[in-house]
Amino acid sequence: MDYSILKLDVDPQLLNPHFDGYKLRLVETGAETSEDSAVRVYPLLSSPVEPQRLSANTHLLFDETHARVHFNHLFSGPTENTVLYIDSANRVNMVKIDAINEGPQTMAIFDMPRPADSEHALAGYPCAFSLDTRTIFAFDGLDKVYVLRQQSTDDSSIIGDRWIAVGGFEIGPGATVAGPTDGADRRRLYSVVSAAIAHFADHSEVRLHYCYRIDRPHKQSAAATKTRQQPTYCIQAIKVDLSAPSTDACHPDAGVPLLTPVSVHTLHSHAIPLYCEHIDDDQFVLGVRDGIVLDETQGAGLETPPLPIPAGSLDAYYWMQTDSDVTVCIQLPISVGAQQIMCSLTRVSLTLQFANAPECESKYSFNSTAFFDHIAADESVWTLENGRLLTLYLEKTRAGVRWPSVFSTDDGVLETMDPSEFAVIRDRLSKYTSDDLVTAGDRMPLHSAADAIDQDEADLDQSDSSIEFSVRSWCSGQTQANSAAGSPDWLCGSFPEPTCARESKRQETSGWAPLVPPVCLRFDVDGVVFGIGRVADGVVDARHVGSFAALSYVQASKREKRFMYVDAEMSVAVLAETQRRIYIYRQTDSRHAADAVQNIVDLGAGELLGLLKVGKHLAVLREHTLCLVNLDRC
């Protein structure tokens, strides 16, 4: 398919130059269970929702902190008027919101086993995705995924139906063990950014993108006083065939059949994606601040290019060093999964073992093999790309000390000394590694959350705005269309839609229709909404489909905002603060209207953990309650 430009052109006919402002209206909550009340509050019929609290000395970068603060703990359900949430007991709960009945109906559909090492893990938040009307994807926040299937065929009784886990699998490149021993200080932080299901004649497969950070030292200038980390995020795509579970269990306590994930493509960026949606079985849309840094990708169906080995050597690895680090590259003879690798990087040694991969065991295993010199274990990482390239990034504790060999016992593997030769190697491997990201462009790295305090507020605001959209091939990750330079900046996404609504849009056969949830971008003081769909010749394009007058201006004054969404019908925009208040902005009646209504809902003391539009209601999740705001009364 030919490359094209994804034009985000603003239609002046959809802007309102006559708009003066919003009229304030305080929504009366009244009796919390009264039928006449605009707000109803119901106790959760489960354990409370208690997101993991990190210790004060946890090291997170700005982008990771931002993603956790704005994480929505309420998820769209598989059918209309249903939502999902995961409570403190790691239980997936489904709630059906029916305006006719007295209150929401709640059902616990699956108990996710607690990870054995979660006490020492830097875990992401658990999440759930509705893949279709009878399939749910649940992630435990650490590294395990479960696929749940409904057992009944009656849509009307979905709450009373039995849901079972038909399979499970692990994601991630493996654990990095940090510290002077094989202790418990594990650093793992994965976030699932999208999930979908593809149905074929003989099988169905789950497709997902997840993201994790790879730390690489930023090159230090002579005037610098300390080394900063260059943030590199790996966006990994995998697929899982649901028709081929193994006889092994995903978790010994759950009895869930083990599924096998297969790597599809790998991308790298300087930020966690803000937007990732599947258009169909062949394409997806990705939105990332500053775009993808390394755009060369390779699908799992393509062969890994042979690596150039130094002349006269048939060694198990090759390596090169700088004054501050050592990079070791190993090309494995077969493709393996991250779950098959046990890699321990301690201050003094390397342990590398492979499970169920005898081709790798004999030549590529290391058992507490001592390094030539000590390394900073908590700043050293390993990555597995495309199942074949294993790379160790070792940070020296004594900068400037040259290593004659990687290990204390010289194994005869010479360093790749010729810079031009190493450059060729790096060019061949750029689609798998992130080493080039250190010098890619003139972008400054994002710093740790602690370092961010020293930045100007304008710098932080800027890091949260510029976004590049790209339409990509699912099989290869290659770009097929990119948003043009100078496109409007990111403002917010839209509420996740029920699976049935997404499917109906994809089945549209006449005219242009958006195929993925729309996005709201900043244009001057307004919020402009774009949908992404297909024109007659099959080319994906973006169209300006609506506007919220002065939305960009009014949201800038809300310093405590946690959630912000527009709805797909563009009738309301909703902004929720961390505590108490929700702001609901109504669409203007016409492009000549001078004002619109700003509704303020005060839910009282309590943290707002999740927000979702469900039919004519706004569902708000708190620690012990679920609040329903009737939008017809706002």
Side-chain angles (χ1 to χ4, degrees):
M1 181 176 292
D2 295 335
Y3 177 84
S4 61
I5 298 296
L6 193 66
K7 296 182 180 179
L8 299 173
D9 295 332
V10 175
D11 183 356
Q13 297 299 316
L14 296 178
L15 301 177
N16 182 0
H18 307 285
F19 189 77
D20 289 332
Y22 287 95
K23 291 185 176 180
L24 180 64
R25 177 176 177 266
L26 182 62
V27 176
E28 296 290 341
T29 56
E32 292 186 339
T33 57
S34 170
E35 293 185 3
D36 297 329
S37 175
V39 180
R40 299 189 191 183
V41 181
Y42 301 93
L44 293 181
L45 302 180
S46 67
S47 299
V49 178
E50 297 174 338
Q52 180 195 33
R53 307 297 180 184
L54 301 179
S55 60
N57 60 351
T58 300
H59 179 76
L60 290 181
L61 299 184
F62 169 79
D63 218 52
E64 293 165 326
T65 303
H66 181 275
R68 291 181 75 88
V69 168
H70 299 282
F71 186 86
N72 193 341
H73 295 271
L74 197 57
F75 315 104
S76 182
T79 60
E80 195 173 3
N81 294 334
T82 59
V83 297
L84 303 168
Y85 70 91
I86 300 172
D87 62 27
S88 59
N90 244 27
R91 182 176 295 115
V92 182
N93 298 277
M94 182 186 297
V95 181
K96 184 174 183 180
I97 298 171
D98 191 341
I100 299 176
N101 294 331
E102 293 184 358
Q105 304 173 61
T106 303
M107 176 186 178
I109 62 174
F110 183 66
D111 289 347
M112 289 190 290
R114 288 192 175 278
D117 55 355
S118 60
E119 179 182 354
H120 306 290
L122 178 59
Y125 287 137
C127 63
F129 290 81
S130 297
L131 304 182
D132 61 26
T133 56
R134 301 193 178 280
T135 311
I136 292 173
F137 162 108
F139 173 51
D140 70 356
L142 199 62
D143 59 5
K144 287 187 173 59
V145 172
Y146 302 92
V147 181
L148 314 179
R149 277 275 175 88
Q150 182 192 15
Q151 297 305 293
S152 171
T153 59
D154 181 8
D155 284 341
S156 63
S157 60
I158 188 169
I159 289 295
D161 288 343
R162 181 167 175 254
W163 291 74
I164 65 170
V166 297
F169 56 94
E170 289 189 2
I171 64 173
T176 298
V177 180
T181 65
D182 294 343
D185 185 15
R186 294 177 182 268
R187 297 170 54 223
R188 301 191 288 187
L189 184 58
Y190 308 135
S191 57
V192 177
V193 295
S194 75
I197 191 168
H199 297 291
F200 302 97
D202 57 346
H203 74 286
S204 298
E205 65 183 33
V206 173
R207 298 175 169 186
L208 70 146
H209 287 90
Y210 65 89
C211 183
Y212 60 94
R213 169 165 53 100
I214 305 171
D215 280 333
R216 296 291 295 128
H218 183 63
K219 292 185 176 179
Q220 189 176 11
S221 65
T225 58
K226 60 180 179 179
T227 300
R228 294 191 184 274
Q229 295 294 314
Q230 171 73 23
T232 302
Y233 292 93
C234 178
I235 306 167
Q236 179 68 53
I238 62 175
K239 63 181 180 180
V240 182
D241 188 346
L242 297 182
S243 64
S246 76
T247 56
D248 298 327
C250 176
H251 193 287
D253 299 329
V256 178
L258 180 64
L259 300 170
T260 303
V262 176
S263 175
V264 179
H265 62 259
T266 305
L267 302 169
H268 295 92
S269 73
H270 281 318
I272 298 172
L274 290 169
Y275 186 87
C276 188
E277 294 287 346
H278 290 256
I279 297 175
D280 53 24
D281 294 344
D282 301 319
Q283 294 175 303
F284 67 97
V285 183
L286 188 66
V288 186
R289 295 188 195 109
D290 294 328
I292 295 300
V293 182
L294 291 181
D295 203 26
E296 293 186 63
T297 57
Q298 181 153 339
L302 303 177
E303 287 296 322
T304 303
L307 303 181
I309 300 297
S313 171
L314 293 176
D315 302 309
Y317 64 90
Y318 62 89
W319 67 287
M320 188 172 180
Q321 64 182 309
T322 66
D323 287 344
S324 60
D325 59 68
V326 175
T327 301
V328 180
C329 297
I330 304 172
Q331 184 184 10
L332 302 177
I334 61 171
S335 180
V336 300
Q339 66 272 17
Q340 295 176 257
I341 299 175
M342 198 290 287
C343 182
S344 172
L345 297 171
T346 73
R347 186 170 61 93
V348 297
S349 67
L350 165 69
T351 297
L352 179 62
Q353 304 291 337
F354 299 86
N356 301 320
E359 297 89 344
C360 301
E361 275 292 329
S362 58
K363 189 174 182 180
Y364 303 97
S365 294
F366 297 87
N367 186 17
S368 298
T369 306
F371 293 121
F372 172 79
D373 199 3
H374 293 175
I375 67 169
D378 58 346
E379 297 180 14
S380 301
V381 298
W382 66 271
T383 64
L384 176 68
E385 305 292 346
N386 207 38
R388 295 287 300 277
L389 178 67
L390 180 64
T391 305
L392 311 179
Y393 301 104
L394 311 177
E395 187 73 12
K396 296 178 180 179
T397 56
R398 296 192 295 168
V401 174
R402 301 295 296 180
W403 290 19
S405 61
V406 175
F407 302 104
S408 59
T409 300
D410 190 352
D411 54 7
V413 180
L414 300 178
E415 179 185 2
T416 304
M417 297 298 294
D418 184 355
S420 61
E421 181 182 1
F422 194 77
V424 171
I425 293 174
R426 275 297 160 215
D427 287 343
R428 299 284 300 272
L429 297 180
S430 64
K431 59 175 65 68
Y432 305 112
T433 68
S434 59
D435 193 59
D436 290 340
L437 299 184
V438 175
T439 57
D442 296 323
R443 302 183 184 93
M444 290 296 292
L446 294 175
H447 309 308
S448 68
D451 293 334
I453 298 174
D454 298 329
Q455 292 180 290
D456 293 335
E457 187 174 325
D459 294 334
L460 292 179
D461 288 342
Q462 180 62 27
S463 67
D464 191 26
S465 59
S466 180
I467 185 170
E468 179 183 297
F469 291 95
S470 57
V471 178
R472 295 176 176 270
S473 163
W474 163 254
C475 294
S476 67
Q478 293 287 353
T479 306
Q480 296 175 348
N482 249 79
S483 57
S487 299
D489 291 334
W490 176 261
L491 194 58
C492 68
S494 58
F495 285 110
E497 295 180 296
T499 304
C500 52
R502 296 198 302 267
E503 290 302 319
S504 64
K505 287 183 178 180
R506 291 189 178 121
Q507 294 171 5
E508 289 281 346
T509 57
S510 60
W512 184 93
L515 299 175
V516 292
V519 296
C520 186
L521 306 180
R522 181 184 289 115
F523 182 75
D524 196 15
V525 298
D526 297 331
V528 291
V529 181
F530 284 87
I532 298 175
R534 276 203 182 90
V535 294
D537 58 1
V539 175
V540 175
D541 76 342
R543 296 188 183 182
H544 181 192
V545 294
S547 304
F548 285 89
L551 182 62
S552 175
Y553 176 80
V554 296
Q555 67 84 31
S557 65
K558 307 297 189 293
R559 308 308 296 176
E560 298 296 325
K561 61 178 178 289
R562 168 167 281 184
F563 307 120
M564 184 174 175
Y565 298 100
V566 298
D567 71 331
E569 293 77 25
M570 288 165 291
S571 60
V572 295
V574 180
L575 188 152
E577 295 186 337
T578 304
Q579 304 273 346
R580 303 182 66 105
R581 285 181 291 274
I582 298 174
Y583 302 86
I584 302 172
Y585 300 93
R586 283 289 179 183
Q587 180 65 277
T588 56
D589 295 332
S590 73
R591 66 180 299 264
H592 300 289
D595 55 60
V597 177
Q598 174 188 233
N599 298 275
I600 301 180
V601 181
D602 192 332
L603 297 176
E607 187 176 3
L608 308 185
L609 300 174
L611 184 72
L612 200 65
K613 184 175 180 287
V614 187
K616 298 297 184 181
H617 290 85
L618 196 63
V620 185
L621 182 68
R622 295 194 290 182
E623 183 177 354
H624 298 283
T625 60
L626 180 69
C627 306
L628 298 181
V629 181
N630 190 332
L631 292 174
D632 286 340
R633 299 177 183 271
C634 296

